[in-house]
Amino acid sequence: MLGVPALDMATAVDTGAPGMISPALRRLVRRVYFPDPATRADPYASPLLTDTVRGLPPAVVLTAERDTLRPDGDKYAARLRNAGIEVVSDMTPGADHYFLSHDLDRARRTMEMVAGQIRRRTSPA
């Protein structure tokens, strides 16, 4: 389950993108978590850039319509799907990064869906 994920720590940050996760905040996160720029393209730091997604488990990718990180989630979900991996993509309309506080009814339904997906995959056959 990936919730509003940042999946590319190596590509230059769009300096004009508005939203809660500003370009300055994205650059700060990169500097703090990956102080050595050479490590930012590592598959664990930037799974969107990895050579292959083969063998990865099914995924639930949660995004928010106005989140600057949404393109990462959308591209990753598409990449998994194209590799034959089962993916549930769920985008919260009208929301920015903190999508679970945008519409509490929708947030409840989203978390119920996530719990159902996890339950389905972890329950004995």
Side-chain angles (χ1 to χ4, degrees):
M1 198 286 289
L2 299 102
V4 291
L7 299 165
D8 179 355
M9 292 291 148
T11 304
V13 174
D14 179 0
T15 57
M20 285 182 181
I21 307 301
S22 68
L25 180 56
R26 290 182 78 182
R27 286 190 295 274
L28 173 66
V29 167
R30 288 174 183 205
R31 281 193 314 270
V32 170
Y33 286 96
F34 305 100
D36 178 359
T39 65
R40 294 177 188 164
D42 182 277
Y44 291 107
S46 297
L48 186 59
L49 305 179
T50 190
D51 291 337
T52 183
V53 293
R54 191 172 325 149
L56 290 178
V60 175
V61 181
L62 306 175
T63 60
E65 182 178 25
R66 296 187 346 235
D67 187 2
T68 57
L69 299 177
R70 179 179 170 203
D72 282 11
D74 291 345
K75 288 175 193 170
Y76 194 65
R79 186 156 184 224
L80 293 172
R81 196 173 288 112
N82 290 339
I85 298 168
E86 187 178 342
V87 178
V88 174
S89 296
D90 186 80
M91 186 271 299
T92 300
D96 204 329
H97 189 70
Y98 302 114
F99 69 101
L100 290 176
S101 61
H102 179 73
D103 175 340
L104 297 181
D105 289 330
R106 174 123 186 7
R108 194 171 296 106
R109 290 190 309 273
T110 298
M111 290 295 97
E112 287 171 356
M113 179 272 297
V114 169
Q117 290 291 321
I118 292 170
R119 192 171 25 258
R120 183 169 76 87
R121 301 207 181 288
T122 58
S123 295

